[in-house]
Amino acid sequence: MMPLHQTSEARKICGLGRSRWGRRPLAVTLALALQLLQLQRGRAENHVDVRYEDYKEEDGRMHVQTVALYGDVQLHPVVNVHGEFVYDALSGATPNGGLPVAGDPGWLTEIEPDVRKAFNLAASVGWGRNTTTPQFAYSLENDYESFGYSLNHTIDFNEKNTTLAVGVAYTHDNIFAATLSSTRNKDSGDLLLGVTQILAPKTVLTVNFTVGSAHGFLNDPYKGIHIPYYPDEANPNPFARTQAGDNGERRPGTRNKQIGYVSLTQFFTPVNGSAELGYRLYHDSFGILSQTVSLNWYQKIGKRVVVSPLFRFTDQNAADFYMTQLPGDYTLNDPSDPLYAPLPQYFSSDYRLAAMQTFTYGISVTAKIKDRVSLDLAYKRYDTFGTDGVTSPLLFPKANVFSVGFRIWF
């Protein structure tokens, strides 16, 4: 059973869902759209997928429950229509930018229960060696609205042993969080170029390169930052002020990114299984450089069961403007005061911008329980750790992810 690419766990593992704000964007993800297209081109039967997923962070942090429905219908020998609807229910608490203190929940903000409803619709049209796929996506929640558009195109060469791909995407987001004085906007665009090459009957190589740029309101309106007040004889107890929204963190108004990805899939006849090894290199204008290595194994057992363990590791450095707190109290307005420090141009204490390592490991089991029905069960463990020696380890979440789904062919 093919996984549903837009479910909440997938967004979290990409760093898009580990807080109230980070889960946002919708999703015209070109690499996933390309992967989806390649899988669909080989299928001739209509089907519907249903999946439930439960993502739960430890210590009362974020809890996301997702129901997703995906369908693929062949309207014509060269036309496939596919769409997905996603419903997320969110609750829990998220870091607010203050310095964590063990036993003191003040650095966490309990969120109001929220829901996110999203859908996307695409049509793959084949003509000769070409396949063109336009897609539209929409997402709405209490404080965020997103519109996404993409166009992907693939061309087959060399008796379909080589596939070249190009994709473009544009997303417009409206942010109307209660912490903001007015609605803010964000626009982003991406361009993907890729090639898939069959190296041998049982070996496939995929290489993708993506460039993208986002402009507008790139802050998290629910994040503030610790402003220290140092103890003295008159005030022996330090305290901090954290603010959000208009007076919260401050990120640049533009973020450019470059992503390279390569994967090698090899089938091993003696064990009737295949391995997929992937490597992803990410860089952006915030100063973040990250590397991800992934390994998936697909083991067929008998005629009806596939067991798939997975492991993924990511290492990233910190954004140029990441800091756990401001260097001083800029509100003093007196440069001669030893506690005064000017306000930096950009600053954020969002742990997702810190130097960190992420480990994801798990296993899924897919079983064909009837000729036209398959069942999918999966568990993933998600662990993050700071590596700068400064950021509190309390900030970095650890989560368990359970999912169940089934596919019906018709």
Side-chain angles (χ1 to χ4, degrees), residues 9 32 50 54 58 62 65 95 143 158 167 169 178 211 234 239 252 267 271 283 294 307 332 340 342 352 368 371:
E9 195 275 332
L32 294 180
V50 179
D54 187 278
E58 295 179 350
M62 292 300 298
Q65 295 173 293
D143 53 6
N158 189 24
V211 293
F239 69 94
F267 182 79
V271 295
H283 174 265
S294 61
V307 179
L332 293 172
Y340 170 82
R352 292 166 298 176
K368 197 167 185 179
D371 288 343

Side-chain angles (χ1 to χ4, degrees), residues 27-30 33 121-122 133-137 148-152 167-170:
V28 189
T29 305
L30 289 171
L121 183 65
T133 306
Q135 181 183 31
F136 171 72
Y149 314 85
S150 72
L151 182 65
N152 296 277
V168 293
Y170 167 74

Side-chain angles (χ1 to χ4, degrees), residues 148-162:
Y149 314 85
S150 72
L151 182 65
N152 296 277
H153 185 77
T154 64
I155 309 175
D156 292 326
F157 296 94
N158 189 24
E159 297 182 346
K160 294 189 176 181
N161 290 319
T162 304

Side-chain angles (χ1 to χ4, degrees), residues 2 20 46 118 184 218 245 266 272 324 331 336 357 362 391:
M2 183 189 68
R20 178 175 172 79
N46 304 327
R184 306 299 175 87
L218 304 183
Q266 176 68 51
N272 201 21
T324 58
T331 63
S336 65
Q357 293 181 341
T391 305

Side-chain angles (χ1 to χ4, degrees), residues 24 35 53 136 149 162 213 215 247 273 275 312 338 360 372 379 384 386 398 401 406:
R24 305 286 171 209
Q35 178 186 11
E53 182 179 274
F136 171 72
Y149 314 85
T162 304
S213 183
H215 305 271
N247 299 313
R312 180 165 49 244
T360 304
R372 292 185 172 271
Y379 166 76
T384 57
K398 296 174 174 54
V401 186
F406 61 89

Side-chain angles (χ1 to χ4, degrees), residues 7 20 48 54 61 103 116-117 119 150 163 200 227 258 295 342-343 377 388:
T7 58
R20 178 175 172 79
V48 173
D54 187 278
R61 297 275 290 270
R116 172 184 178 269
K117 299 176 183 178
F119 74 90
S150 72
T163 300
I227 305 173
Q258 307 86 38
L295 177 62
L343 190 66
L377 301 172
D388 59 13

